[in-house]
Amino acid sequence: MIIQWYPGHMDKALREMQNTLKLVDAIIYVLDSRAPYSCINPKYKDLIGNKPALLVLNKADLVNEEDLNKWTDLFKRNGYDSIKLNSTISNASKIILSKMEVILSDKIEKNKAKGIQLPLRFMVIGVPNCGKSTLINNICPRKKTETGNKAGVTRANQWVKINANYEILDTPGTLWPSFKNNQVAKNLAYIGSIKDEVLDIEELAYSFIEDVKDRFFNNIKERYSLLCNENTETIDIYNEICLKRGFILRGNELDYNRGAKAIIDDFRKGRMGKIILDKIEDAKNGFKLI
């Protein structure tokens, strides 16, 4: 399946982020741990410029830690500071403020030397549904931003005051005008960064099984108690899932729509086990995030 989705509000959001950039000291760049490479927005490279940045691999609880460590090691070798995070755990995101103080230590010392006491200001960026607003609410003493497990909840910039020392700018999740790599587009669709309403859910589920069965067939097999194996045709795996779950219409036809929704929902909510969609080989041969 070929996917393209770039609603007009994202272009507007990128322009507003560019105009606001001069007001912030550093960038908090949120990546979904299930697809860290696919979440790298090429538009952000020009947006960020020389601003200090911290990569936050969010939703780390949904993937294998050993697999995720390969990504943090890769980022480190390429000169990027990164941390692993599950922002749904109370106070987990406060480590970000400590990391940002280290990254901005020179600026902090210069301000102290001048007798200046200004709050540090951070811009939070990332693709839709990577968990930016949840992360910010985790840092805040009380909930400040709207969240939701779908693309497009945050539609405008929102300044959030943490305390007298920190302010954070929550920005809308943004993609880029054209996906040159369709696998990246599919991965973003699987994790919910592309609005479900613009996708063919049955085709999406079929593509998901096709894409992950070589590396994660056991995850699928255990979730649905399948009798087939990794060499089984994708459509036959899909059929067996529908049968196992009892998704059958009148006339004994399989209900592929219900089956598709169950497959995608099970993956997104971690019921299919720990899966990283991106292959680290795709990013190893030199890449620039920012």
Side-chain angles (χ1 to χ4, degrees), residues 24-227:
V24 303
D25 299 299
I27 303 294
I28 299 171
Y29 194 157
V30 184
L31 308 174
D32 189 313
S33 292
R34 296 169 297 176
Y37 183 61
S38 295
C39 287
I40 297 168
N41 186 339
K43 280 286 186 179
Y44 290 158
K45 183 178 177 182
D46 293 333
L47 170 74
I48 296 171
N50 295 321
K51 289 283 183 181
L54 174 67
L55 305 181
V56 178
L57 285 96
N58 197 23
K59 306 186 183 183
D61 56 307
L62 297 178
V63 302
N64 181 281
E65 184 175 10
E66 185 177 343
D67 291 337
L68 193 57
N69 286 342
K70 295 176 183 177
W71 287 94
T72 57
D73 290 344
L74 179 65
F75 293 144
K76 185 177 181 179
R77 291 198 303 272
N78 282 270
Y80 304 115
D81 290 304
S82 68
I83 60 170
K84 298 170 289 186
L85 190 72
N86 173 9
S87 61
T88 63
I89 296 177
S90 180
N91 295 322
S93 299
K94 289 189 176 179
I95 188 177
I96 293 174
L97 300 180
S98 299
K99 289 287 290 185
M100 296 308 274
E101 285 187 353
V102 174
I103 291 172
L104 294 171
S105 58
D106 288 346
K107 181 182 180 67
I108 293 170
E109 289 303 316
K110 287 179 181 178
N111 285 345
K112 283 183 179 179
K114 295 177 181 178
I116 299 173
Q117 292 185 327
L118 294 173
L120 295 176
R121 299 179 120 193
F122 313 125
M123 179 186 289
V124 182
I125 64 174
V127 300
N129 201 39
C130 64
K132 299 185 308 301
S133 296
T134 300
L135 181 149
I136 292 172
N137 288 334
N138 192 294
I139 298 175
C140 292
R142 54 187 178 277
K143 182 176 178 180
K144 295 288 185 70
T145 64
E146 184 181 0
T147 64
N149 188 24
K150 59 182 180 179
V153 173
T154 302
R155 298 296 294 267
N157 289 349
Q158 302 178 64
W159 277 107
V160 178
K161 185 174 182 178
I162 307 301
N163 53 40
N165 299 317
Y166 308 105
E167 294 179 5
I168 291 182
L169 179 64
D170 188 16
T171 63
T174 49
L175 299 173
W176 48 106
S178 178
F179 295 116
K180 295 180 180 179
N181 184 332
N182 195 55
Q183 188 60 55
V184 165
K186 288 193 293 180
N187 289 347
L188 291 172
Y190 299 149
I191 65 174
S193 293
I194 295 175
K195 190 172 280 189
D196 287 338
E197 288 80 0
V198 304
L199 300 166
D200 183 324
I201 191 68
E202 294 178 26
E203 191 175 355
L204 186 70
Y206 180 93
S207 291
F208 174 80
I209 297 170
E210 180 76 16
D211 286 341
V212 305
K213 68 176 185 177
D214 289 344
R215 292 180 294 148
F216 299 104
F217 178 77
N218 284 338
N219 295 61
I220 302 172
K221 183 175 182 176
E222 291 177 13
R223 173 60 186 164
Y224 302 109
S225 302
L226 302 182
L227 298 176

